Amino acid sequence: MGIILDLMTRYNTEQKRMILGLFEQDPDRSLTGEEISEALPDVGKSTVYRVLGEMTEENVLSSYENGRKRCFFLRREDCRSHLHVFCPSCGRLMHLSADAAKEIKRIISGELGYVPEHFEFTLFVQCREHGEEK
């Protein structure tokens, strides 16, 4: 039993490395579980979703809802102090600067009288490349 458990643990570690490798190839891109499953056909779909859940709990990845799909992106140390901008056309996720977040905090504080503790949300926009397609 110990040998099987050891093999399963190593197999999980390899799967995590494979999934992490996809995010590291393009750190500004968000991916759905379906896209990861397609990119890694040797990794079972249920395993992909389980590993994505583990990596989210470990704060390696963050996620957001895009319509009916959950999208995952590589979490940076400063993700709780800035905003994210996402283009659904190309899947690009951009991290706005801390200065932009400070300005938005200033606006919220001034107009609403609230002081935001941290930011963890994503603005959905059309990037320059795709904004003129409509």
Side-chain angles (χ1 to χ4, degrees), residues 47 106 122:
T47 301
R106 187 191 63 74
T122 303

Side-chain angles (χ1 to χ4, degrees), residues 12-41:
N12 277 339
T13 302
E14 180 61 25
Q15 292 164 332
K16 278 187 179 182
R17 277 193 294 246
M18 291 168 68
I19 292 171
L20 184 59
L22 287 176
F23 286 100
E24 289 175 336
Q25 286 175 9
D26 190 354
D28 291 329
R29 183 162 178 83
S30 59
L31 298 167
T32 65
E34 190 66 35
E35 290 169 326
I36 293 167
S37 289
E38 289 172 11
L40 302 172

